[in-house]
Amino acid sequence: MLVSAFAALSFNAAQPAEPITDWREAVRCLAAFEVASSMSFQAQQADAGARYDDLAMALFSSMGDRFDFARMEQAETIRAREAEVLRARPLEQVTARADDCRARLPDPPAVP
């Protein structure tokens, strides 16, 4: 029984994360990338900071192509609230959230 439980957990861990299909979740990921970048630079982790900054820029650029002004206002409200929550967390949690987002967005990151 223990072996089958371990196998089930291993199988679930190996499954790819569900892709992000909601623009609001993508905007929350933008906040995660921005906060991870800022916190990484503050922690003297320039390579990680630059990587997260590049992801944020790619995601933000895709928003400009797809969002009208009203949607951009909504997106900024969502992004600001999420960033505020993330800034209160340790760097490890923020980068874990950003890495999860990265795994669930296309390459390069774009709003669905």
Side-chain angles (χ1 to χ4, degrees):
M1 178 91 154
L2 181 60
V3 172
S4 62
F6 177 74
L9 288 174
S10 297
F11 179 74
N12 287 337
Q15 295 299 309
E18 289 293 317
I20 292 173
T21 58
D22 181 31
W23 68 269
R24 293 165 199 85
E25 184 64 22
V27 170
R28 288 182 194 93
C29 286
L30 174 61
F33 294 150
E34 289 175 343
V35 174
S37 175
S38 176
M39 291 176 82
S40 294
F41 279 122
Q42 288 174 356
Q44 309 275 324
Q45 298 173 6
D47 290 342
R51 184 177 74 247
Y52 291 121
D53 187 56
D54 289 345
L55 295 171
M57 291 302 294
L59 188 54
F60 182 75
S61 293
S62 76
M63 293 166 75
D65 296 337
R66 306 212 29 196
F67 289 3
D68 61 15
F69 184 75
R71 177 71 49 94
M72 283 298 274
E73 283 186 322
Q74 288 177 318
E76 177 53 23
T77 299
I78 293 167
R79 187 210 59 77
R81 287 180 183 154
E82 182 71 9
E84 185 177 332
V85 169
L86 290 171
R87 281 188 199 100
R89 295 185 179 165
L91 175 60
E92 295 77 22
Q93 287 181 4
V94 174
T95 56
R97 170 73 173 126
D99 292 341
D100 177 65
C101 285
R102 180 65 208 104
R104 298 175 59 214
L105 286 166
D107 188 26
V111 173

